[in-house]
Amino acid sequence: MSFIVFLLFFFLFHSSIIISVVSKCSKSFECGRLGYLEFPLSNSRGCGLFTVHGCDSVNPTIQLEPGGQEYSILNISTNKFLVKDHSLQSLLDTNSCFSFINLTLPKYPSISFSFSPNLTMFECFNETYKSERGRYFENYLNYTCSLIALYYSFPTANVAPPVPNGDGLPSQCHVIQLPVKSNYDQQSPENVFDLFTSEYTLEWNLSEQCSECQRGGGQCLTNDIGEFECKR
């Protein structure tokens, strides 16, 4: 009799462990006005690829990487969310030259990011090469901010196409992309900072490896050396 009781206890104990492990990362979770969200979003550390905070508040936020910047989520759809970048807004409000830092997004082996709408610009330093740039950026709009010279054109403008990246660029120049207002190509503001916005759409796309892992009941992770790992 005692042996049967032992087996029953053993079965119940280990079943509870299995259930707790399986249910640790729920398939979806409720997040206030945003409704139910699911992978790759999560509200628990160790689940999903990026974490949503403040689901009980009016303005939930999201972190795209541990310890990284938090963005306010204004709206969300299947694989896109409209965010507000408060750090960028502070720079734009003060017409800071640091506004023209390339918007970089985290890189993961299991997911890729893009943002829109955006404007490609050419950021150049060192006035020594100013005459050389004139040949490359003829007919481009330009703006000087401290030691930075910016060259850009609108897609609808009747100008030469952007110069190629890499070896084709003049010395001390590189390509940057920044979020712009949706009607930016229909206006020519006196203040170039008025072109840009801190509210833009972030889109994510899972890799085929991660999609297969998810369909098989696994969890997409990044290991210690930055490689994809499917945890089952």
Side-chain angles (χ1 to χ4, degrees), residues 123-129 132-133 149 169-174:
E123 185 178 54
C124 302
F125 300 88
N126 195 332
E127 286 296 300
T128 305
Y129 301 96
E132 177 189 353
R133 294 173 197 153
L169 284 177
S171 301
Q172 305 293 315
C173 295
H174 62 275

Side-chain angles (χ1 to χ4, degrees), residues 5-104:
V5 172
F6 170 77
L7 287 178
L8 181 61
F9 173 78
F10 180 86
F11 174 77
L12 292 175
F13 176 74
H14 283 272
S15 295
S16 65
I17 292 177
I18 293 172
I19 291 171
S20 66
V21 171
V22 172
S23 61
K24 179 184 176 183
C25 295
S26 57
K27 186 175 180 180
S28 64
F29 62 97
E30 188 174 5
C31 190
R33 62 177 177 79
L34 299 177
Y36 283 89
L37 307 179
E38 55 186 32
F39 186 88
L41 306 177
S42 173
N43 61 348
S44 302
R45 188 174 181 180
C47 299
L49 296 178
F50 28 87
T51 308
V52 177
H53 301 284
C55 284
D56 296 331
S57 68
V58 178
N59 295 307
T61 61
I62 188 168
Q63 272 185 310
L64 301 182
E65 56 187 340
Q69 179 179 336
E70 290 196 2
Y71 303 84
S72 292
I73 305 175
L74 305 180
N75 201 359
I76 192 165
S77 59
T78 305
N79 69 324
K80 298 178 182 179
F81 36 69
L82 179 65
V83 300
K84 184 172 183 66
D85 185 333
H86 295 281
S87 297
L88 178 57
Q89 184 63 59
S90 297
L91 295 172
L92 293 174
D93 287 343
T94 57
N95 289 356
S96 171
C97 296
F98 289 107
S99 302
F100 305 117
I101 295 176
N102 193 41
L103 180 59
T104 56

